[in-house]
Amino acid sequence: MTRRCDRRCDACHGGSPSIDSTMPTVVDLLRNVPFLAGLDPRTLDLLASRCVPRAVGEGFTLFRAGDKCTGLYLVIEGKVRIYRTSTDGREQTLAVEGAGRPVAELPLVDGGSYPASASTLEPSRLAFLPRGDFEHAFRSDPDVATAVLTALGTRLRHFVQLVETLAFRDVAARLAMLLADYADRDGRPGDGVVRLELQRTQEELASEIGTARESVSRALKQLRVQGLVIDQEGAQLVLQPAARLRAWARGEG
Amino acid sequence: MTRRCDRRCDACHGGSPSIDSTMPTVVDLLRNVPFLAGLDPRTLDLLASRCVPRAVGEGFTLFRAGDKCTGLYLVIEGKVRIYRTSTDGREQTLAVEGAGRPVAELPLVDGGSYPASASTLEPSRLAFLPRGDFEHAFRSDPDVATAVLTALGTRLRHFVQLVETLAFRDVAARLAMLLADYADRDGRPGDGVVRLELQRTQEELASEIGTARESVSRALKQLRVQGLVIDQEGAQLVLQPAARLRAWARGEG
DNA sequence: CCCCGTGTGTGACATCCGTCACGGCGCGCG
DNA sequence: CGCGCGCCGTGACGGATGTCACACACGGGG
C-alpha cells in the first residue's frame, strides 16, 4: 500500500536539492538537530546541500530489516518507530525516534544492512542524507564522527534498558516504565501528578513492551488499582510522577 | 576442575591482582587484539606503554553496573561476562567477551557510568587502559576512533539480536541460538554435524538466555528429541550445523 | 437511525516457565 | 570407603501471559 505525502509537501517533489527560499532552508532544519549541534557552519552547509528533504504520511515504511542501507535519516518533525518483526507476525519496537534524532546510523558505520525496520507513527518530515555524502562527512570531520559515536552510545544504553526490562519485568512493570518515559517527554506536570495525553493505541503500546493488546488492557487496570494511574478518561491519563512509576516498576512499590 | 563459588560471591572485591612481569610484552599482547589491528606501530607502542596488565582468577568482578568508569579493558586471554542483575537477584548476561575484545568502551565515549557489571568466567589476562590515556588516543588518532566505532556497532547488532530473542522466542529456541553461536566459535565441524565441548554449566547457559537452570535442562531434552542435538555425553555435544539450529529457532523446523 | 469499523474491557482457557522438592551421578577428600 | 558438594534430570504446582471469544462504546456515513 502506497502512502501519500500529506499537505505541505512541496519539498518532497522538488526534484533537485535546491531550496525554496520561502520555506525554512534545510540548513535551518539541520541546525535544530541536536545530533549535529556544534558542527561548524560550513560543514553544516555542506551537509545541508546534500540532504534530501522528505515529507511522508503516517505508517510510511522507511526501510525493512535486511535492506541494504542507502543513507542516513534525520527526523525533523514527527516520530519514527524502529522495530523487529517475528516470523509469526508479532512486532517488538526497539526505539521511537522523535525530532532531532538520527535513524539508521548503525549500518552506516559498519557497512552492514539495516538490522531492523522503521516506519512513521505520525506524518513526519525527514532529511535523508545519502550514504556516500554521509561517509565523506564522517571521514573528513571529526565532529561528525563524535556525533555519530554519541548517538550510538545513547542507543546502546537504551538497549541495555530494553533488554533488562524484557528479561526481568512483568507486563505491568514494563508498562509503568513506558508511561514514565512518555510522561517525561510529553506530560504536563502539576501538583504532584502528571497529565498525559496518550497518543498511542493499546495495540501500539503492546508492541512497544513486547506483549499482547489484552495484556496491556489488564496491566492498565492493575496500575489504576495500584494508584499509579490516578485517573483515566480515554487517552487522558493522570499519573504519579515518572520517578514513582519507575520505582514501582523496579519492585520498590 | 573446581567450580566457582556462588554468584553473589563477595570474594570478588579480592585483593590486588597479581602482575606477572615475565609475560610477553604488552605490545605483543595488543598486537593480537583485533580491536586495535591496523593501528600504526607507534600509536600501538604508545598505548601499550599506558596499559596496565592484570591477571585475575575466575569469578573476579571488574566492575558493577553504576560504577564510575575508570578505563577500558581489553581481554587478552580468558572470558569476561557482561551482565545485569535484577533487584531479586536474577541475572541476564548481555555479552561474553573473549580474547581480543574490548570491554566497557561505551561509558568511555559518552562519559557515563558502566551500564552493566562484568566479571570473569575463567582465569583471564586483561589489559587495562586508564580513562585519560584512552581519551587522548581516541581524540588524537582517527584509527582508534573508528575502532571504537566498529566495536560499538557490533555490540549494537548483538543487542538487537538479543532483544529479538528475548521478545519472540521460547526457551528451547533461545538455547538453540546460543548453541549455534558456540558451535560457530568453538565447534569442530565434520561430516554434516558439529562437535562441541560446552564449557558452561546449565546455570550459566540459563543466565545467558534469561531463564532458569531447570528450563535449560528441559529445553536440552527437547532439542535432543527434535534431533537438533544428536548426541550428548556430559559436556560433549554433537549438534546439527549451526545454520539448521538457527533455522529451527526461527520457527522453520 | 442503523451499520460498521476501530479501539477497548474482560472472562475462559491453554501454555510456558519459574520455583520447589527430590534423587542421582561423579569426584575429590578425609 | 563414605561423605560432601557441585551439577544435572525430572515431577509437581502455580502464576503470568498469550489466545480466543464476545460485549460494549464511540464516531462517521449512508
Side-chain angles (χ1 to χ4, degrees):
Chain A
M1 102 170 48
T2 48
R3 291 285 184 155
R4 276 194 337 285
C5 294
D6 75 335
R7 71 263 157 200
R8 213 194 303 189
C9 128
D10 330 38
C12 76
H13 295 329
S16 81
S18 64
I19 306 303
D20 176 349
S21 54
T22 69
M23 294 279 299
T25 66
V26 179
V27 187
D28 289 333
L29 298 179
L30 292 194
R31 224 189 295 288
N32 292 322
V33 174
F35 175 61
L36 301 173
L39 292 194
D40 85 76
R42 276 188 318 148
T43 35
L44 211 54
D45 277 343
L46 184 65
L47 282 183
S49 71
R50 306 311 181 100
C51 269
V52 183
R54 310 181 68 174
V56 302
E58 176 181 340
F60 181 87
T61 295
L62 303 181
F63 50 81
R64 292 181 185 284
D67 286 356
K68 223 181 57 165
C69 172
T70 56
L72 175 76
Y73 290 88
L74 294 164
V75 181
I76 305 297
E77 186 189 339
K79 292 207 190 319
V80 172
R81 183 173 70 108
I82 303 172
Y83 60 97
R84 294 271 311 187
T85 310
S86 76
T87 47
D88 62 352
R90 280 173 57 208
E91 291 187 351
Q92 168 71 46
T93 109
L94 304 177
V96 175
E97 302 297 356
R101 296 272 308 164
V103 172
E105 70 284 1
L106 167 58
L108 284 170
V109 310
D110 69 1
S113 50
Y114 295 118
S117 311
S119 68
T120 53
L121 281 176
E122 313 169 353
S124 303
R125 285 190 299 152
L126 311 167
F128 178 75
L129 184 60
R131 161 148 218 162
D133 296 316
F134 168 84
E135 282 179 347
H136 178 260
F138 172 73
R139 256 196 275 283
S140 60
D141 187 337
D143 288 341
V144 173
T146 62
V148 173
L149 207 54
T150 57
L152 279 185
T154 62
R155 202 175 284 286
L156 202 49
R157 277 183 192 274
H158 177 82
F159 272 46
V160 171
Q161 269 304 113
L162 183 56
V163 168
E164 170 164 351
T165 300
L166 287 174
F168 294 145
R169 320 246 186 262
D170 64 15
V171 170
R174 279 181 263 168
L175 182 60
M177 289 244 170
L178 185 63
L179 290 179
D181 289 347
Y182 280 132
D184 279 342
R185 223 190 35 194
D186 304 326
R188 291 156 310 170
D191 199 24
V193 301
V194 182
R195 271 159 225 286
L196 173 65
E197 167 153 13
L198 200 48
Q199 298 163 24
R200 301 267 178 281
T201 122
Q202 292 188 350
E203 188 75 43
E204 287 166 339
L205 295 180
S207 160
E208 293 200 49
I209 61 178
T211 185
R213 192 220 96 220
E214 295 91 327
S215 296
V216 168
S217 179
R218 288 188 244 265
L220 245 186
K221 177 154 84 165
Q222 190 177 336
L223 294 186
R224 283 195 299 267
V225 171
Q226 288 287 327
L228 294 161
V229 172
I230 300 161
D231 191 55
Q232 178 190 6
E233 289 171 13
Q236 300 295 326
L237 298 181
V238 182
L239 305 172
Q240 296 278 352
R244 193 181 304 260
L245 289 174
R246 280 189 251 267
W248 181 83
R250 273 194 297 270
E252 306 157 10
Chain B
M1 92 146 128
T2 60
R3 267 301 164 193
R4 87 190 42 229
C5 55
D6 171 71
R7 291 188 181 290
R8 297 137 165 275
C9 171
D10 288 27
C12 303
H13 318 124
S16 53
S18 58
I19 299 175
D20 182 349
S21 55
T22 69
M23 51 188 201
T25 69
V26 179
V27 189
D28 289 334
L29 297 180
L30 291 195
R31 222 188 297 286
N32 292 322
V33 174
F35 176 58
L36 300 174
L39 291 196
D40 84 76
R42 277 187 318 146
T43 39
L44 210 54
D45 277 344
L46 184 66
L47 282 183
S49 71
R50 307 310 182 99
C51 268
V52 183
R54 310 180 72 174
V56 303
E58 177 181 336
F60 182 85
T61 295
L62 302 181
F63 50 81
R64 292 179 186 284
D67 286 356
K68 223 180 60 172
C69 172
T70 55
L72 174 75
Y73 290 88
L74 294 165
V75 181
I76 306 297
E77 185 191 338
K79 294 211 186 322
V80 172
R81 185 174 68 107
I82 303 173
Y83 61 96
R84 295 269 313 185
T85 310
S86 77
T87 48
D88 63 353
R90 279 174 58 208
E91 293 187 351
Q92 168 73 45
T93 108
L94 304 177
V96 175
E97 303 297 357
R101 296 272 308 163
V103 172
E105 69 283 1
L106 167 58
L108 283 170
V109 309
D110 69 2
S113 50
Y114 295 118
S117 311
S119 68
T120 52
L121 281 176
E122 312 170 354
S124 303
R125 285 189 300 153
L126 312 167
F128 178 75
L129 184 60
R131 163 147 217 161
D133 296 316
F134 168 83
E135 281 178 348
H136 178 262
F138 172 73
R139 256 195 275 282
S140 60
D141 186 338
D143 288 340
V144 173
T146 62
V148 173
L149 207 53
T150 56
L152 280 185
T154 59
R155 201 176 285 286
L156 201 49
R157 279 184 190 273
H158 177 82
F159 272 45
V160 171
Q161 270 303 113
L162 184 56
V163 168
E164 170 165 350
T165 299
L166 286 173
F168 294 145
R169 321 248 185 259
D170 64 13
V171 170
R174 278 182 263 166
L175 182 60
M177 289 245 171
L178 185 64
L179 290 180
D181 288 347
Y182 279 133
D184 278 342
R185 222 189 36 192
D186 303 326
R188 291 157 311 170
D191 198 25
V193 301
V194 182
R195 271 158 225 287
L196 173 65
E197 167 155 11
L198 201 49
Q199 299 163 24
R200 300 268 178 283
T201 104
Q202 292 188 349
E203 186 76 43
E204 288 164 342
L205 296 179
S207 162
E208 292 198 50
I209 61 178
T211 184
R213 191 220 98 220
E214 295 90 329
S215 296
V216 169
S217 180
R218 287 188 247 263
L220 247 185
K221 177 154 83 168
Q222 192 177 334
L223 294 186
R224 282 195 300 266
V225 171
Q226 289 287 328
L228 294 160
V229 173
I230 300 162
D231 191 57
Q232 178 190 6
E233 288 171 14
Q236 300 295 327
L237 298 182
V238 181
L239 305 172
Q240 296 277 353
R244 193 182 305 259
L245 289 174
R246 280 189 253 266
W248 181 84
R250 274 194 295 271
E252 306 157 10

